[in-house]
């Protein structure tokens, strides 16, 4: 994949939305992949998500900290096996704050107490429609880490699913952070590019790890 003449550069895609290519090196990608494989195991493992309107998401998902299901959060896998959601590890919160600091500056990261991870697994022709991450109470930036196959990530605006949007290619190890004026921007994954994962990673398909701050009281 890395055959460009010039290295890919960090880019601001919209106000508060930054793409940092190759943020995770090969070792870090392998570590995160190992963790994803553990998180994906039952109980409270990888599941198919169904929407209230009868739709089925083609990317399968597992959550940490709080379990997201359309369109709320719970402490148990309310739309699956009913077991408690897996804990959100402290190291993942540290990784999230480091990501925000590198993307948006240390002031944005200082109070960001990440407590939710959504791990999406794309295989075959899985994709994700344009949507907003709007079920959290916190306005802290969303952190997105990609592993495996590259994808087209469509990043839009907070008003409409339609244009204007920008298509960004996210590759294994890339970081994308969106906060501030872009925190509630519509975004989605119209296409995964099969067979583009780094040879040494050992993953067929694409994993995306999205970190969010709930802003919920602990006992909620
Ligand atoms: O897979 C991605 O890059 C996007 C995931 C996403 O938009 C989400 O989990 O809300």
């Amino acid at each position: 994949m890395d055959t460009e003449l010039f290295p890919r550069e960090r880019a601001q895609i919209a106000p508060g939305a930054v793409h940092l290519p190759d943020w995770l090196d090969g070792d870090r990608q392998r570590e995160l992949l190992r963790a994803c494989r553990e998180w994906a195991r039952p109980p409270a493992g990888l599941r198919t998500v169904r929407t209230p309107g009868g739709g089925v998401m083609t990317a399968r998902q597992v959550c940490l900290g709080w379990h997201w299901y359309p369109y709320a959060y719970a402490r148990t896998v309310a739309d699956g096996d009913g077991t408690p959601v897996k804990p959100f590890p402290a190291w993942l919160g540290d990784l999230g704050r480091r990501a925000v600091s590198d993307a948006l500056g240390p002031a944005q990261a200082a109070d960001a107490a990440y407590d939710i991870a959504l791990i999406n697994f794309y295989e075959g022709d899985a994709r994700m429609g344009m949507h907003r991450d709007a079920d959290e109470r916190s306005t802290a930036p969303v952190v997105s880490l990609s592993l495996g196959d590259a994808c087209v990530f469509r990043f839009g605006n907070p008003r409409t699913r339609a244009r204007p949007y920008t298509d960004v290619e996210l590759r294994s190890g890339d970081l994308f952070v969106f906060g501030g004026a872009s925190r509630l921007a519509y975004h989605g994954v119209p296409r995964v590019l099969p067979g583009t994962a780094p040879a040494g990673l050992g993953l067929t398909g694409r994993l995306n790890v999205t970190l969010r701050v709930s802003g919920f009281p602990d006992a909620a």
Side-chain angles (χ1 to χ4, degrees), residues 37-62:
R37 286 195 162 117
E38 285 307 311
W39 297 327
R41 289 182 203 285
L46 199 67
R47 81 194 194 292
T48 299
V49 183
R50 293 169 204 282
T51 60
V56 176
M57 284 174 58
T58 51
R60 286 184 296 151
Q61 192 176 82
V62 59

Side-chain angles (χ1 to χ4, degrees), residues 1-4 6-13 18-23 144-155 165-177 188-198 206-208:
M1 279 299 285
D2 296 313
T3 52
E4 286 93 352
F6 300 109
R8 297 180 304 146
E9 304 276 1
R10 125 188 219 126
Q12 178 166 313
I13 304 301
V18 180
H19 175 210
L20 274 77
D22 305 315
W23 190 72
S144 155
L145 295 162
S146 292
L147 294 174
D149 282 341
C151 78
V152 176
F153 180 66
R154 181 161 291 171
F155 195 79
Y165 53 67
T166 304
D167 284 349
V168 181
E169 188 174 294
L170 294 184
R171 296 185 192 169
S172 197
D174 284 9
L175 165 67
F176 195 98
V177 174
V189 176
R191 203 150 49 92
V192 173
L193 309 173
T196 53
R206 171 175 188 262
L207 280 165
N208 174 258

